[in-house]
Amino acid sequence: MSSISKISETFSPEMEGKSVTLRGWLYRTRTGGGGKMVFAVLRDSSGIIQATVKKENVDDKSFKNASEAYVESSVILSGTVKKDERAPGGYEIQVSSFETVCRGEPFPVAKDLSDEFLLDIRHLWIRSQKVTRILKIRSTMVQAIHEFFQKRSYYLFDPPIISPNACEGKMTLFEVNYFGEKKYLTQSWQLYAEAAIFSLEKIYDVSPTFRAEKSRTARHLAEFWMAEMEAAWMELDEVTEVAKDEVKFIVEKVLEKHEEDLKFLGRDVDKLKKAVAKPFPTITYTEALKILKEKEGVEMQWGEDLRTLEEEKLMKHFDTPIVVTNYPVEIMSFYKPRDPKDPKTALCFDMLAPEGFGEIVGGSQRSTDMKDIIERIEKEGGKPEDYKWYLELRKYGSVPHSGYGVGVERMVRWICGLDDIKDSIAFPRTLTRCYP
Ligand code: 4AD
Ligand code: MG
């Protein structure tokens, strides 16, 4: 057998007239020419190409294989590359041999394409052009995150996944039976990252995160990936700039490589380009309330959290992501310090994406005030003794430090312009779904 090419490699003028062998799966197939031709479309991870099988050009076995193959049968075929303006990619294969690796059964993706049905057959649906392209974009994004931090001399630090502590509130903890004791799946690497900065100073990771989110929304998963960073000697004003640079870097990398994929997904690429062409503004929570009141007529009580609805209304006034700082201390986790200049607010931030995609990043400076932390753990219904190890970090060489987490699926959703976050991950886990 001659060496195997990827489909995308055949899309070039130099390949015209050359013989190639391709392998993959049938994307579409139909017979024509009074039963003397098969028009197959082959796909592999790199793309799709039309393959024309003429009875007169192949032996009987090949023609039988081609005629009987189903959508998603796996095949290896050889033939000559020919220019064809009408074909996807601009080229087609004139097939000379057609071998079936696994004919299988008729593929079940037929007419009923309801969201629930596609989620039930997610193990098969991830082969679709839509999901394949999203997964490629996601791969580029995660690679960009590594590149961003490695270039800035951050170390990759891997946290534990099973934890004795809550980081983001007890309400969303997933319990694990840990040799007869109650432990939890991680809600964030943060508490461990705060220990690790005393060793590595500047760290990042991309890792699985778990929250028993009890609500069904287009932006919550029960299992998601968070790309987090933590740095010693860093305060709020600096960490928000790192977050802005990171988000911009990720979007630029995706635009560089995936403009065609984004267009296939129906994404308005110009909006995305515009979103990263300008600096991202920083406003405070209090200023956000003012915008909501003056421009949207939304009256919020100072102290209430911004919900999806309010975030959407606020973001009507911005076409780039924005950073919102200084949320009320009362609604913030125990580790977010009071702002000495405005102690009813915390030195914390969220980054909100434009076009109604909402929060994509959450972070803060970290409190080093042991007394305040203990009081607030108690207020959240936690036991300070469970956090003994964490509190000890404040005893030995404590320094100002900050960090944040980027929701990987939230970023995929925004960048790809997806209606629902479930499409931003291969196998979504939600309140109502843990299958397949
Ligand atoms: O804002 P969050 O809860 O912040 C933290 O967990 C901090 N401990 C991070 C840190 O400072 N190191 O979560 C961070 C981001 C959110 O902005 C959002 O993008 C994403 O994680 N996220 C979710 N994504 C999908 N499904 C969920 N249920 C999510 N919860 C948070
Ligand atoms: Mg948050």
Side-chain angles (χ1 to χ4, degrees):
M1 195 197 301
S2 60
S3 73
I4 311 249
S5 306
K6 295 309 286 183
I7 287 175
S8 59
E9 291 165 5
T10 61
F11 298 150
S12 87
E14 302 95 79
M15 292 303 292
E16 226 185 310
K18 296 249 163 68
S19 299
V20 290
T21 298
L22 301 172
R23 65 182 168 199
W25 297 265
L26 287 197
Y27 182 65
R28 268 197 302 266
T29 179
R30 72 181 170 86
T31 46
K36 293 205 166 80
M37 282 164 80
V38 177
F39 300 101
V41 177
L42 184 74
R43 68 165 186 87
D44 67 11
S45 59
S46 74
I48 60 174
I49 192 163
Q50 188 169 295
T52 304
V53 191
K54 289 188 184 149
K55 202 169 189 287
E56 69 209 49
N57 291 346
V58 296
D59 62 22
D60 289 352
K61 183 87 182 25
S62 281
F63 196 75
K64 187 169 185 287
N65 287 343
S67 312
E68 291 179 350
Y70 295 121
V71 167
E72 289 306 315
S73 291
S74 43
V75 304
I76 300 175
L77 54 82
S78 301
T80 315
V81 180
K82 203 180 138 230
K83 202 165 170 56
D84 181 349
E85 297 296 347
R86 295 157 306 170
Y91 294 88
E92 69 152 19
I93 306 291
Q94 294 275 340
V95 175
S96 56
S97 94
F98 193 111
E99 183 194 328
T100 302
V101 179
C102 170
R103 180 178 175 229
E105 294 179 22
F107 198 61
V109 177
K111 283 185 204 83
D112 173 12
L113 294 178
S114 76
D115 292 343
E116 282 307 306
F117 173 75
L118 293 179
L119 287 166
D120 285 340
I121 56 145
R122 191 78 177 166
H123 51 299
L124 303 176
W125 184 239
I126 57 172
R127 305 173 182 198
S128 66
Q129 286 298 296
K130 176 178 174 182
V131 182
T132 299
R133 286 172 196 255
I134 294 169
L135 294 178
K136 285 183 186 175
I137 291 170
R138 183 182 168 117
S139 165
T140 297
M141 278 178 49
V142 174
Q143 204 185 334
I145 292 166
H146 286 286
E147 192 183 333
F148 177 83
F149 285 112
Q150 291 287 341
K151 270 190 181 154
R152 294 181 175 218
S153 304
Y154 281 65
Y155 291 100
L156 175 70
F157 170 73
D158 295 318
I161 297 299
I162 300 174
S163 169
N165 304 107
C167 178
E168 298 298 330
K170 285 164 64 173
M171 296 302 290
T172 61
L173 283 172
F174 270 115
E175 271 176 37
V176 177
N177 177 342
Y178 192 75
F179 306 112
E181 277 189 47
K182 205 196 278 183
K183 304 289 173 205
Y184 312 100
L185 293 176
T186 183
Q187 293 172 309
S188 167
W189 84 330
Q190 185 189 319
L191 305 184
Y192 296 93
E194 287 190 60
I197 51 148
F198 293 95
S199 161
L200 299 170
E201 294 197 29
K202 299 197 309 182
I203 54 177
Y204 79 99
D205 85 327
V206 187
S207 77
T209 308
F210 304 87
R211 303 216 185 150
E213 302 280 0
K214 311 280 185 331
S215 53
R216 287 167 79 142
T217 75
R219 59 180 187 169
H220 286 93
L221 293 165
E223 176 181 306
F224 60 100
W225 288 67
M226 217 200 295
E228 298 184 80
M229 65 72 78
E230 193 77 25
W233 314 106
M234 194 178 280
E235 300 190 358
L236 183 70
D237 53 351
E238 194 181 346
V239 84
T240 53
E241 293 308 311
V242 178
K244 290 176 188 177
D245 289 348
E246 183 190 352
V247 166
K248 196 171 263 193
F249 186 81
I250 296 170
V251 175
E252 282 167 356
K253 283 283 161 187
V254 171
L255 282 169
E256 235 172 79
K257 252 181 114 168
H258 296 284
E259 192 155 340
E260 203 237 292
D261 292 321
L262 291 168
K263 285 182 177 155
F264 178 92
L265 296 170
R267 184 69 170 101
D268 184 339
V269 177
D270 289 335
K271 280 201 177 137
L272 211 50
K273 286 183 181 163
K274 218 165 150 193
V276 293
K278 287 186 287 188
F280 304 172
T282 299
I283 63 171
T284 63
Y285 162 88
T286 305
E287 284 163 349
L289 255 50
K290 194 157 172 262
I291 295 173
L292 283 169
K293 185 174 173 191
E294 288 174 2
K295 300 195 174 160
E296 291 293 325
V298 176
E299 288 275 4
M300 275 179 72
Q301 196 76 26
W302 196 97
E304 280 179 325
D305 207 356
L306 297 176
R307 295 168 306 171
T308 305
L309 182 76
E310 284 92 32
E311 283 182 1
E312 271 172 20
K313 292 202 160 154
L314 176 66
M315 290 313 287
K316 286 208 270 179
H317 304 280
F318 300 93
D319 55 9
T320 69
I322 69 165
V323 163
V324 183
T325 66
N326 290 83
Y327 285 75
V329 166
E330 294 303 315
I331 52 170
M332 291 291 112
S333 304
F334 64 87
Y335 58 77
K336 295 182 181 173
R338 290 173 197 277
D339 185 342
K341 291 198 218 96
D342 183 8
K344 62 181 192 312
T345 71
L347 292 170
C348 66
F349 77 100
D350 274 359
M351 190 187 292
L352 310 181
E355 302 173 72
F357 288 99
E359 180 190 339
I360 47 176
V361 183
S364 76
Q365 194 167 315
R366 314 309 190 188
S367 179
T368 50
D369 178 343
M370 215 176 331
K371 195 167 150 277
D372 190 57
I373 299 177
I374 292 172
E375 275 171 27
R376 287 168 61 191
I377 289 175
E378 281 171 343
K379 224 171 160 189
E380 285 184 17
K383 294 198 202 92
E385 54 271 29
D386 289 347
Y387 293 81
K388 184 169 172 282
W389 70 270
Y390 178 74
L391 292 163
E392 274 182 13
L393 302 174
R394 272 68 184 159
K395 279 194 200 167
Y396 308 107
S398 186
V399 292
H401 61 289
S402 302
Y404 63 80
V406 175
V408 171
E409 291 76 15
R410 296 271 180 99
M411 279 288 285
V412 175
R413 179 172 175 237
W414 168 48
I415 290 177
C416 296
L418 306 174
D419 290 337
D420 197 296
I421 196 165
K422 289 197 281 297
D423 266 330
S424 61
I425 187 163
F427 293 102
R429 300 287 179 251
T430 66
L431 177 64
T432 52
R433 179 170 294 279
C434 193
Y435 176 92

